[in-house]
Amino acid sequence: MSRITLTGRVQKILFQKEGFFIARLENGVKISGNTLIDDPHTIEGQEIEVKGEWQEHPKFGPQFVFDELNIKGSELYFYLTKVVKGVGEKLVGRLISHYGEDELLRILDEEPNRLLEFKGIKEKKLSQITKSWQQYKDMRDLAMFLAPYKIGQSIVAQIFRTFAAKDNLVDEIKKNPYMITQVKGVGFKRADEMALSMGIDPKSPFRIEAAAGYLLREIAEQQGSSAVKREDFTAALCSELGFDETTAVTDVIEDLLKRRILYRLEDFIAYEYYYRTEKAIYDFLKNANISPSGAIVEDPDSFIESEEKKIGFSLGEQQKEAVLLLNRGIRAMALVGYAGTGKSTTARMMLRLLESRYGYDSIVVTALSGIAAQRIHDTTGYRSATIQSLLVSAKDKEHLPFDVILLDEASMVNSQIFYQLISKLKEEAILLIVGDDGQLPPIGAGNILADIIEYDLIPTVKLTRIYRQKEDQAIAFIADSIRRGEIPDYKKSYCDFRFVDLSIENYFARKNSLGENEKRELRQNHNLKILETVKSEAITHIVEARRCLESKDIKGYITHIQVITPMKGGILGSENLNNELQSIFNPGARHSIRRGIYNYGLFDKVVHIKNENMPAYSPEAFKKGLDPSEQRIFNGMIGLIFRMDSDEEECYVYFPNEETVVRYSYDMIGEYLSLAYALTIHKTQGMEYDAVIIPMSYSHYIMHNTKLLYTAVTRAKKICIVVGEEDAFKSACKRIDTTRRDTVLAILSSLERDKHPL
């Protein structure tokens, strides 16, 4: 499209974040783009001129996207009154009237002390004016320098804030363009494109160092490994940079090792951040039990017997072992168990033991997700909070105000989050780590629970006996068979598990006789058949789900039924399933808007999909009509759209497990929310639902393995229904996940074990 110019008065800023904003003009036109103005709300009511083009945004629909924005009228007046701090509108009007715009500009640039002659300006105010004006000028200069490289103004503002202490920022960037990779939103590839176009030497140490940091972060975040074999890393780095030989890369790696940006661990290397994080975790775990505090109760057997009478349940031998171990006064231990082995009951007994010494109010149970934190609260009876809310509450404090912390669903916790938690513990605090190593490893770097178990980093009790409340209950037993790579006895009649067989008759024989297009059509038609059966199964749960909704039991509604699938794409992927299931659970919503691939309607079940600071309220604050506060909203939080305001173009979502209401502008819904009738297995980790339906198709073969299937099946509390191809299910049960993460914690532990073998 051709570049055009629009003018109009800004009626309202609909969304703004770090210099990017979406606004509505008085004539109804929506515009979006980046500005150097810190607070775009200052242009509300201003007449503006924007240059750009009309675009059909995939999420937000048609809007005018600008790359240049100018204030109509006196731009100097606008910037002095709205952007530069320390000057009011009356004073600016008098200054312009007295000096004229051109002369005032010259004075601000060349002789700012002359303004002291003007009534109303003293030293302090002049200092504010000159500092703010210089910052604005420097930012404009930076923007002009970076404009040819297509660096947006929001990123320009971030670059400026990150390097505000540097006197000659443009010269510094010319010298090392890769320094801007320190800024969020500027990756190596973007900086590399800019640097190469500026003529930097492709073998510049700056380039190699930036690529090394980028590659190590990618390995950590995508593969979960916090360390990598040096030989493999050198080869990968040469490939990323397009080098045929390794000399330049090897020299830079040696330099980074000397400067302690990289650390050497035998044949492995690790990036500074991951090394320091996991070295601190290693030291914490190694030193946790150096000085036990002594027995908590003198007669632990009598204590257990007394507590068993209260709960009406007798502990098994492994469960008693965990309580007796804790009673020695150790500061950290792990309780590991598969689904149905009684982890929660054992944890409750352990906390009761600790309560006898430390008191009820000194105990907190925590987990990564709100649902998991609530569940451990329900099963133990102790105060609960998510890890992030605990960290936020202790942001300005040295320590958390608890003597006992129980971390549940520990398999989900990566090294960064684990480190943040332990760094806030009191020196003498007790840490109980509870988890299931049969589940998926965490998202992000590290594999804390698995490393603790493999290297005996702290005393660990493993629960293996599965407890069955009813003879026809099978979820835990079927899940355990899957975990071990065995095909379970899945065809029997159970009260909590059902396999709906929709296999393609003589599939392998037919597959070999068909052409590619015919095979594709056969599979597509069969997946449609599985889809219809998934919907039919889901329909049977609608009445109970709606009963929860009508009684305002939002938590009950969002955890009543969940369709879980391995992938996003395809007929049986979460995206298509969400659209299909929405027509069952929330057909013809009273208010709805289209954003991207979904319609979002009143009373839709949704999941937040980014870690982001958002305008949020407590339920009480929302009811009272108070202003929102900024709160961190995390990827994976599930809630319900309960209000849509067409006039303000905003919707409100209630997240019951976090007891939080969050406001979303219509234009940003598609970026921060997704429908949640169907979720990927990774998204459901740590959660639990009354009913779970899992489609099973060879179309998802690439994602089939024991950890994924085990995690999916164990999300079900009352019933799990698997719908699909028998051979695909059997294949998933036998395909043991052999993916290994190389971690600093594991390497340090292995080196220590080699020094002191048993």
Side-chain angles (χ1 to χ4, degrees):
M1 293 184 180
S2 59
R3 196 162 182 268
I4 57 177
T5 301
L6 283 183
T7 60
R9 190 176 299 278
V10 179
Q11 183 184 70
K12 184 176 182 180
I13 301 296
L14 301 173
F15 173 83
Q16 68 98 7
K17 182 176 182 290
E18 298 173 344
F20 172 81
F21 73 90
I22 300 171
R24 182 173 58 232
L25 304 182
E26 287 184 345
N27 60 7
V29 168
K30 283 185 184 176
I31 63 170
S32 68
N34 294 295
T35 176
L36 295 177
I37 301 168
D38 277 340
D39 182 8
H41 286 280
T42 57
I43 66 171
E44 284 185 341
Q46 296 290 328
E47 187 81 16
I48 62 168
E49 177 183 271
V50 285
K51 295 179 181 179
E53 60 184 30
W54 286 101
Q55 290 185 11
E56 183 71 28
H57 195 284
K59 292 178 180 175
F60 311 134
Q63 56 188 256
F64 188 79
V65 179
F66 65 84
D67 54 27
E68 185 180 335
L69 181 149
N70 295 301
I71 307 297
K72 298 280 281 183
S74 173
E75 192 161 1
L76 177 65
Y77 180 84
F78 169 77
Y79 280 104
L80 286 176
T81 56
K82 301 292 187 181
V83 179
V84 176
K85 293 178 175 62
V87 226
E89 291 187 9
K90 289 183 179 178
L91 180 57
V92 172
R94 286 165 49 215
L95 284 167
I96 292 176
S97 176
H98 182 78
Y99 293 110
E101 288 199 15
D102 292 342
E103 179 63 8
L104 181 56
L105 273 171
R106 191 194 67 76
I107 290 170
L108 285 167
D109 288 339
E110 300 172 11
E111 300 180 275
N113 283 339
R114 274 191 59 190
L115 295 180
L116 289 171
E117 304 167 1
F118 200 82
K119 187 178 178 181
I121 296 181
K122 299 192 183 303
E123 290 280 357
K124 185 176 180 181
K125 188 175 286 292
L126 177 64
S127 176
Q128 284 180 300
I129 292 170
T130 53
K131 183 179 178 182
S132 188
W133 179 255
Q134 188 59 47
Q135 283 183 341
Y136 165 68
K137 264 193 68 190
D138 290 346
M139 198 184 295
R140 293 278 285 198
D141 291 343
L142 179 64
M144 289 176 66
F145 168 67
L146 293 175
Y149 308 109
K150 297 181 180 178
I151 305 291
Q153 291 190 355
S154 62
I155 301 295
V156 170
Q158 287 185 65
I159 293 170
F160 184 81
R161 284 192 289 270
T162 302
F163 302 107
K166 294 190 179 293
D167 292 331
N168 300 301
L169 183 53
V170 169
D171 289 341
E172 292 283 341
I173 293 174
K174 285 178 181 177
K175 180 181 174 185
N176 176 15
Y178 297 96
M179 64 186 284
I180 68 172
T181 58
Q182 297 176 43
V183 177
K184 182 183 176 183
V186 183
F188 168 75
K189 292 185 183 296
R190 192 173 190 182
D192 194 41
E193 185 180 341
M194 182 182 89
L196 292 173
S197 68
M198 290 168 60
I200 198 165
D201 181 358
K203 292 193 175 181
S204 161
F206 291 131
R207 182 172 187 246
I208 298 171
E209 181 175 335
Y214 158 75
L215 197 56
L216 285 168
R217 287 191 295 272
E218 282 290 297
I219 290 168
E221 296 307 312
Q222 301 302 320
Q223 300 175 23
S225 291
S226 54
V228 60
K229 279 202 168 179
R230 178 168 177 166
E231 184 181 352
D232 295 340
F233 179 68
T234 301
L237 189 52
C238 286
S239 175
E240 179 70 37
L241 294 166
F243 292 175
D244 293 327
E245 55 90 30
T246 64
T247 305
V249 164
T250 302
D251 289 345
V252 169
I253 289 175
E254 282 301 321
D255 180 59
L256 293 174
L257 287 166
K258 286 177 186 174
R259 289 158 53 198
R260 296 204 169 186
I261 293 172
L262 298 183
Y263 282 78
R264 182 186 286 112
L265 293 151
E266 297 289 294
D267 297 335
F268 289 83
I269 56 173
Y271 198 50
E272 174 191 27
Y273 172 77
Y274 302 112
Y275 175 83
R276 292 185 182 279
T277 297
E278 295 198 20
K279 176 66 165 62
I281 293 170
Y282 173 76
D283 291 339
F284 169 83
L285 295 171
K286 186 179 176 183
N287 298 322
N289 292 312
I290 286 177
S291 302
S293 62
I296 297 172
V297 296
E298 290 300 321
D299 188 350
D301 290 322
S302 296
F303 173 84
I304 292 171
E305 186 178 338
S306 172
E307 291 297 321
E308 285 175 334
K309 288 177 182 177
K310 292 177 185 177
I311 64 175
F313 179 83
S314 296
L315 297 186
E317 287 304 311
Q318 293 171 333
Q319 295 173 308
K320 282 184 181 178
E321 181 190 344
V323 180
L324 294 172
L325 176 62
L326 178 64
N327 190 60
R328 296 177 191 171
I330 58 178
R331 296 289 177 190
M333 68 171 285
L335 177 68
V336 182
Y338 308 122
T341 56
K343 289 193 303 296
S344 297
T345 302
T346 312
R348 179 182 173 189
M349 186 72 79
M350 294 166 74
L351 292 175
R352 291 284 291 167
L353 176 66
L354 291 165
E355 184 184 343
S356 69
R357 170 177 283 182
Y358 297 100
Y360 178 86
D361 291 334
S362 291
I363 298 172
V364 68
V365 296
T366 188
L368 193 61
S369 73
I371 287 178
Q374 182 64 42
R375 190 172 67 247
I376 192 65
H377 162 76
D378 293 341
T379 54
T380 65
Y382 290 89
R383 175 191 332 206
S384 70
T386 64
I387 298 172
Q388 293 296 341
S389 62
L390 280 180
L391 294 174
V392 169
S393 70
K395 185 179 179 182
D396 300 319
K397 301 173 186 173
E398 188 177 359
H399 300 301
L400 290 164
F402 302 104
D403 296 307
V404 177
I405 294 90
L406 184 147
L407 170 63
D408 195 28
E409 296 286 357
S411 64
M412 294 177 63
V413 180
N414 63 33
S415 56
Q416 177 189 6
I417 295 169
F418 190 83
Y419 169 73
Q420 289 173 342
L421 179 64
I422 62 173
S423 67
K424 285 293 183 179
L425 299 185
K426 293 178 182 178
E427 189 174 344
E428 299 299 313
I430 311 294
L431 177 63
L432 304 180
I433 299 170
V434 181
D436 178 353
D437 62 322
Q439 291 190 33
L440 293 167
I443 295 170
N447 206 5
I448 303 297
L449 183 64
D451 289 343
I452 284 173
I453 296 167
E454 182 172 352
Y455 295 99
D456 297 318
L457 295 176
I458 52 176
T460 300
V461 173
K462 196 152 191 176
L463 306 178
T464 57
R465 181 188 170 190
I466 297 172
Y467 293 89
R468 188 190 302 218
Q469 292 179 335
K470 294 180 182 177
E471 192 59 34
D472 60 348
Q473 282 186 326
I475 286 177
F477 291 93
I478 285 172
D480 193 55
S481 294
I482 293 168
R483 179 190 61 78
R484 288 184 277 111
E486 299 172 1
I487 298 172
D489 193 355
Y490 60 93
K491 284 194 169 182
K492 282 187 179 179
S493 178
Y494 303 109
C495 70
D496 63 349
F497 184 89
R498 186 154 48 89
F499 186 88
V500 181
D501 188 359
L502 293 178
S503 299
I504 300 175
E505 191 174 352
N506 298 321
Y507 173 62
F508 290 103
R510 293 174 67 184
K511 178 183 174 184
N512 294 331
S513 65
L514 296 175
E516 286 302 317
N517 289 336
E518 292 171 311
K519 279 191 285 189
R520 194 178 299 113
E521 185 178 355
L522 172 65
R523 176 134 307 286
Q524 184 170 348
N525 289 337
H526 191 69
N527 284 343
L528 287 170
K529 184 179 177 182
I530 295 174
L531 171 64
E532 290 306 313
T533 306
V534 167
K535 289 164 65 177
S536 297
E537 292 288 346
I539 285 171
T540 64
H541 295 271
I542 284 180
V543 172
E544 185 58 36
R546 285 185 176 162
R547 189 175 292 129
C548 292
L549 196 57
E550 288 163 5
S551 62
K552 297 184 179 178
D553 176 12
I554 308 303
K555 188 183 297 182
Y557 176 71
I558 66 174
T559 60
H560 180 66
I561 177 173
Q562 187 63 54
V563 175
I564 302 177
T565 185
M567 301 175 78
K568 283 185 178 181
I571 292 170
L572 297 175
S574 61
E575 293 176 345
N576 185 60
L577 282 166
N578 268 317
N579 280 317
E580 294 286 338
L581 293 166
Q582 184 186 45
S583 66
I584 296 172
F585 284 92
N586 194 25
R590 194 161 69 244
H591 301 292
S592 68
I593 55 164
R594 183 80 181 179
R595 289 296 180 267
I597 61 173
Y598 296 134
N599 275 315
Y600 294 85
L602 191 63
F603 303 129
D604 265 330
K605 178 180 172 181
V606 292
V607 58
H608 188 85
I609 55 176
K610 284 187 178 181
N611 295 332
E612 195 64 72
N613 292 329
M614 303 289 292
Y617 316 72
S618 68
E620 295 75 21
F622 181 79
K623 287 175 185 175
K624 291 177 181 177
L626 302 178
D627 290 335
S629 60
E630 194 172 77
Q631 185 175 324
R632 194 73 168 168
I633 307 301
F634 293 96
N635 186 356
M637 287 171 53
I638 297 177
L640 186 82
I641 297 176
F642 72 95
R643 180 177 172 185
M644 301 190 78
D645 189 330
S646 300
D647 293 333
E648 296 296 327
E649 296 191 349
E650 294 171 341
C651 81
Y652 295 82
V653 177
Y654 177 53
F655 296 98
N657 287 291
E658 292 75 17
E659 295 188 342
T660 299
V661 174
V662 179
R663 186 183 73 204
Y664 299 82
S665 72
Y666 278 4
D667 287 296
M668 302 313 294
I669 286 176
E671 186 173 349
Y672 292 104
L673 291 176
S674 174
L675 293 181
Y677 300 106
L679 294 171
T680 61
I681 298 170
H682 284 89
K683 271 279 191 287
T684 62
Q685 211 175 344
M687 301 183 187
E688 196 173 59
Y689 306 91
D690 289 344
V692 164
I693 302 174
I694 306 168
M696 185 62 57
S697 165
Y698 263 117
S699 296
H700 293 160
Y701 177 77
I702 193 171
M703 293 292 288
H704 285 166
N705 63 54
T706 52
K707 276 195 181 291
L708 273 166
L709 188 53
Y710 174 85
T711 302
V713 169
T714 54
R715 300 310 89 205
K717 187 161 64 172
K718 294 182 179 177
I719 186 162
C720 175
I721 304 165
V722 180
V723 178
E725 299 172 65
E726 193 171 23
D727 285 332
F729 179 73
K730 288 179 179 179
S731 172
C733 292
K734 292 188 292 185
R735 194 176 174 196
I736 296 173
D737 178 28
T738 56
T739 305
R740 179 175 176 84
R741 294 185 173 196
D742 293 312
T743 68
V744 172
L745 181 58
I747 296 166
L748 291 172
S749 304
S750 179
L751 292 172
E752 179 70 16
R753 190 162 66 184
D754 291 344
K755 283 183 192 174
H756 306 286
L758 294 176

